Amino acid sequence: MTNLPLISTIMIFFNGERFMDAAIESVLGQTHENWELLLVDDGSTDGSTAMAQRYAQRYPERIRYLEHPQHQNRGMSATRNLGIQQSSGEYVAFLDADDVWLPHHLQHQLSILLRQPEAMAVFGPTLFWYSWDEDNPKPDVIRELGLRPDWLYQPPQLLPLLLQEKAQTPATCSILIRKTLFEKIGGFLEQFKGCYEDQAFFSKVYLQAAVYVDSECCDRYRQHSASHCAIAVQNGTYHRFRANAAHRAFLRWLTDYLIQQQVKDPQVWQALQRAKWPYRYPWLYQIWYPIKRTRDALRRRLARGFW
């Protein structure tokens, strides 16, 4: 095992008692054996704190429990950053406390990065997992990324696609990253506390790093009403068919970041200007956006037929 690269798995949780046991067990069942698991508590008030501490006591050489000072609740980005800061591995992976990995997840993604030395990160499609709920069964769905699979994308190719919604943001449970990339771009942005913290982080990745897009699905993203994004949609923080304050804050941050990084790429700036269009013409956008989504979905289906 000592000859294999160490992968640091960061699992953040806030009141995750209901599903966290299954998530941890999916890490314990990985075929890649050299990993550490950092259970990072974001101020939980249920039994998940005690559960995480029990696992850390049971596997002290492989599992660690972390928390903010005074057991504070500081949000997902700050909690992931704490895990990154305390990680020891050459590679970093993320798994939320309500999701699970298939047994070969780490081994498969590590093999890709070993074959692709230029790539700083790898991710693939994710299974939207509905069938876990036997009382309300729905068919599982593979969440397509809208990207050419088994392909190495150079920076900043993916950023305009993200801004134009031609490419989906990958689930954090589907990505493996070289730790040196965090030293280059920093971690997650703690000012974002809604659905756009992942988009902000991946914008930095896409701008500065080569990324390999895999075709294989190795994770299950549990769908339930108490998930972070489900609550954000219910509260109106995120809405598919209208502009919103969280998205506007993300675009403002990205504009400042591109200026700071002295980005000159015209495709990036053109895509950013198009993304700002809803805030200039909100009523027209509300009519046009569903048409755009349908058109883009059709394009992705046609593209899959050629690849």
Side-chain angles (χ1 to χ4, degrees):
M1 186 174 71
T2 56
N3 294 327
L4 300 172
L6 176 64
I7 299 177
S8 297
T9 296
I10 296 171
M11 184 182 297
I12 65 171
F13 65 95
F14 173 70
N15 293 345
E17 181 180 18
R18 183 181 180 189
F19 302 118
M20 192 167 66
D21 182 73
I24 295 173
E25 291 296 330
S26 78
V27 178
L28 291 168
Q30 289 298 298
T31 55
H32 176 81
E33 297 180 351
N34 196 16
W35 51 262
E36 65 171 0
L37 174 59
L38 286 73
L39 301 173
V40 194
D41 194 341
D42 192 22
S44 298
T45 57
D46 68 351
S48 54
T49 295
M51 179 185 296
Q53 291 172 340
R54 285 196 298 270
Y55 271 102
Q57 293 169 0
R58 193 183 310 169
Y59 303 97
E61 72 288 353
R62 310 194 74 178
I63 299 179
R64 285 185 280 157
Y65 171 81
L66 302 172
E67 63 178 354
H68 299 293
Q70 290 80 51
H71 199 68
Q72 296 174 8
N73 172 254
R74 294 188 52 194
M76 296 170 64
S77 292
T79 308
R80 286 197 178 110
N81 287 341
L82 176 59
I84 294 167
Q85 294 161 9
Q86 296 296 319
S87 64
S88 304
E90 183 180 349
Y91 300 86
V92 175
F94 300 96
L95 180 63
D96 288 344
D98 49 359
D99 303 326
V100 297
W101 284 336
L102 299 183
H104 67 294
H105 174 84
L106 292 180
Q107 182 180 20
H108 174 70
Q109 291 200 324
L110 177 61
S111 68
I112 291 174
L113 289 185
L114 293 177
R115 296 195 310 268
Q116 299 282 341
E118 189 178 355
M120 298 299 292
V122 58
F123 61 76
T126 293
L127 181 75
F128 273 26
W129 188 24
Y130 296 95
S131 61
W132 68 270
D133 187 356
E134 297 180 355
D135 296 329
N136 188 26
K138 296 181 182 179
D140 297 332
V141 178
I142 293 289
R143 180 175 181 262
E144 299 290 349
L145 295 166
L147 297 168
R148 181 174 181 175
D150 301 320
W151 193 260
L152 181 66
Y153 285 84
Q154 298 294 337
Q157 288 177 311
L158 289 174
L159 185 52
L161 300 177
L162 174 69
L163 290 170
Q164 297 173 57
E165 296 186 338
K166 293 181 179 179
Q168 298 285 343
T169 307
T172 50
C173 61
S174 74
I175 189 167
L176 181 66
I177 303 175
R178 299 185 195 271
K179 190 176 180 181
T180 53
L181 181 57
F182 293 104
E183 299 168 2
K184 180 179 181 181
I185 69 170
F188 289 80
L189 292 153
E190 299 183 13
Q191 66 263 42
F192 290 102
K193 298 184 182 298
C195 281
Y196 289 93
E197 49 202 333
D198 291 350
Q199 286 90 330
F201 173 73
F202 283 110
S203 294
K204 295 196 298 180
V205 173
Y206 294 164
L207 190 63
Q208 303 196 43
V211 176
Y212 189 88
V213 177
D214 185 29
S215 60
E216 186 165 347
C217 176
C218 301
D219 54 88
R220 293 180 175 178
Y221 182 14
R222 192 188 304 267
Q223 303 297 295
H224 61 98
S225 60
S227 71
H228 177 78
C229 282
I231 293 173
V233 171
Q234 294 165 12
N235 293 340
T237 305
Y238 174 76
H239 196 290
R240 289 181 60 189
F241 296 116
R242 68 169 180 257
N244 60 80
H247 184 233
R248 174 177 280 182
F250 161 67
L251 294 177
R252 286 174 174 169
W253 164 82
L254 183 57
T255 301
D256 293 339
Y257 184 74
L258 295 178
I259 294 172
Q260 176 190 0
Q261 297 296 316
Q262 301 181 348
V263 174
K264 306 297 183 183
D265 190 291
Q267 291 185 338
V268 172
W269 284 105
Q270 289 169 10
L272 179 59
Q273 293 307 312
R274 291 193 190 104
K276 293 179 178 180
W277 183 74
Y279 305 100
R280 299 188 179 105
Y281 311 101
W283 292 106
L284 183 60
Y285 175 78
Q286 190 171 0
I287 298 171
W288 173 79
Y289 188 73
I291 300 173
K292 174 184 178 296
R293 295 285 295 192
T294 303
R295 181 198 65 189
D296 291 346
L298 179 59
R299 285 179 175 174
R300 286 194 292 270
R301 289 191 178 186
L302 291 173
R304 287 200 299 271
F306 291 108
W307 291 339

